[in-house]
Amino acid sequence: MHIVVCIKQVPDSAQIRVHPVTNTIMRQGVPTIINPYDLFALEEALRLRDKMGGKVTVLTMGPPMADESLRKALGLGADAAVLLTDRFFAGSDTLATSYALAAGIRKIGEEEPVDIVFTGKQTIDGDTAQVGPGIAKRLGLNQLTYVAAIRSLDLENRSIVVERRAEGGVQVLSTGLPCLITMLEGTNSLRRGAMDDMFRASRATIATWSAQQAGVDDIALCGLRGSPTVVKKVFAPQPRKEKAKMVETAGKSEAEIAQATLDTLFSANPKLETDLRKLAAAS
């Protein structure tokens, strides 16, 4: 069994800066981490490998410094790592990113067929949840999104059963391999890397592919040129000028607190009481 886990090196969300002209995230000089949601995907892939055997390859697209995240993944137990880095990838939106990653997965699969592709449900910098499904579409994979647990995996019959979190409940889905899975947060407990894996990660040679080496057919579909999404403006919301009104609750009963709250609302909105009385009379 061969599993590919797509991860992303993202800026620490507490220190994100935005370029004033291009409206893209400025990554230089900002501490970076592995996208937290991707760590749950990596852990699930490692658990499947530990149980069923096989290999886990970690893939990312980014600048050369993204190899730091790949080494961290190797230190957690991944078997191999591939970095897609090329100036043609700069400024990619989700469409261009999924195109490049799909090309990389296709290239990886030429050496050893890929059975499952894992991603996190989304990234903390983009928050779109579009890259995983985009990869699945480009590679023609069955996709299982927002997966909370893997119930069973049958390699002989090439099938997998998962629990998918849905609004109002849980869906139990079954599909054939190969497939793509996006994992939810909190679905497992992240392991600590073994000392042997950490030493191996520090010495490992990260496979680094340019767009051409990754098998990208059309450079025009990468980077800013291949990104139809345009960010018109990025800004921080302005703080509201009006202050919150406080209702004193000390020494008051529940009825008194409720009455004081209503008095405050009606005082701030003179027409509200009249409108509510009209609605009550009409009903």
Side-chain angles (χ1 to χ4, degrees), residues 2-278:
H2 187 192
I3 301 173
V4 172
V5 182
C6 296
I7 68 172
K8 184 179 182 182
Q9 186 180 61
V10 296
D12 189 329
S13 58
Q15 302 187 49
I16 286 180
R17 296 180 300 159
V18 176
H19 194 284
V21 177
T22 63
N23 286 324
T24 57
I25 292 175
M26 297 173 63
R27 303 178 186 275
Q28 293 77 13
V30 180
T32 56
I33 57 175
I34 296 177
N35 178 51
Y37 298 125
D38 297 343
L39 290 173
F40 294 103
L42 175 60
E43 174 63 29
E44 199 65 32
L46 294 174
R47 291 187 180 196
L48 285 179
R49 182 209 57 191
D50 293 345
K51 181 180 179 180
M52 312 290 292
K55 175 182 179 182
V56 173
T57 299
V58 184
L59 171 68
T60 193
M61 184 188 81
M65 69 177 186
D67 69 348
E68 297 174 6
S69 292
L70 292 175
R71 291 190 188 279
K72 290 178 183 178
L74 291 173
L76 290 172
D79 300 290
V82 177
L83 169 63
L84 306 183
T85 185
D86 197 308
R87 61 185 178 86
F88 293 112
F89 296 146
S92 294
D93 68 357
T94 57
L95 189 70
T97 298
S98 65
Y99 175 74
L101 289 175
I105 295 170
R106 196 178 292 112
K107 181 72 173 180
I108 291 171
E110 291 178 1
E111 297 183 5
E112 186 175 352
V114 177
D115 299 293
I116 304 175
V117 178
F118 273 99
T119 73
K121 70 167 187 177
Q122 63 194 62
T123 59
I124 62 172
D125 56 351
D127 270 344
T128 64
Q130 294 174 350
V131 171
I135 293 172
K137 173 63 177 177
R138 293 183 185 280
L139 295 178
L141 301 176
N142 299 319
Q143 59 175 301
L144 301 165
T145 58
Y146 298 99
V147 171
I150 295 177
R151 285 196 173 186
S152 65
L153 173 62
D154 189 338
L155 292 177
E156 183 176 348
N157 293 316
R158 306 287 293 167
S159 65
I160 188 170
V161 179
V162 305
E163 294 180 7
R164 180 183 188 272
R165 192 178 302 167
E167 187 174 352
V170 175
Q171 299 173 341
V172 178
L173 304 176
S174 175
T175 191
L177 301 180
C179 68
L180 181 140
I181 296 172
T182 72
M183 291 296 299
L184 285 175
E185 73 283 4
T187 51
N188 49 46
S189 298
L190 304 179
R191 67 185 64 193
R192 296 182 63 181
M195 192 64 69
D196 289 345
D197 288 328
M198 293 181 184
F199 285 135
R200 176 175 59 86
S202 66
R203 299 189 298 265
T205 300
I206 305 294
T208 303
W209 295 347
S210 64
Q212 182 178 9
Q213 291 170 322
V216 172
D217 297 322
D218 190 350
I219 295 298
L221 297 179
C222 298
L224 285 173
R225 293 175 61 191
S227 300
T229 305
V230 177
V231 180
K232 185 177 180 180
K233 184 179 181 181
V234 177
F235 61 94
Q238 296 296 319
R240 299 178 64 175
K241 295 181 180 180
E242 61 268 25
K243 302 294 184 180
K245 292 180 172 59
M246 302 295 292
V247 175
E248 293 295 335
T249 61
K252 294 182 179 180
S253 66
E254 293 179 356
E256 290 173 332
I257 294 172
Q259 185 60 53
T261 302
L262 289 173
D263 291 342
T264 302
L265 288 172
F266 294 150
S267 175
N269 303 275
K271 292 183 59 180
L272 179 60
E273 184 174 8
T274 303
D275 292 342
L276 289 176
R277 291 184 183 278
K278 289 181 179 179

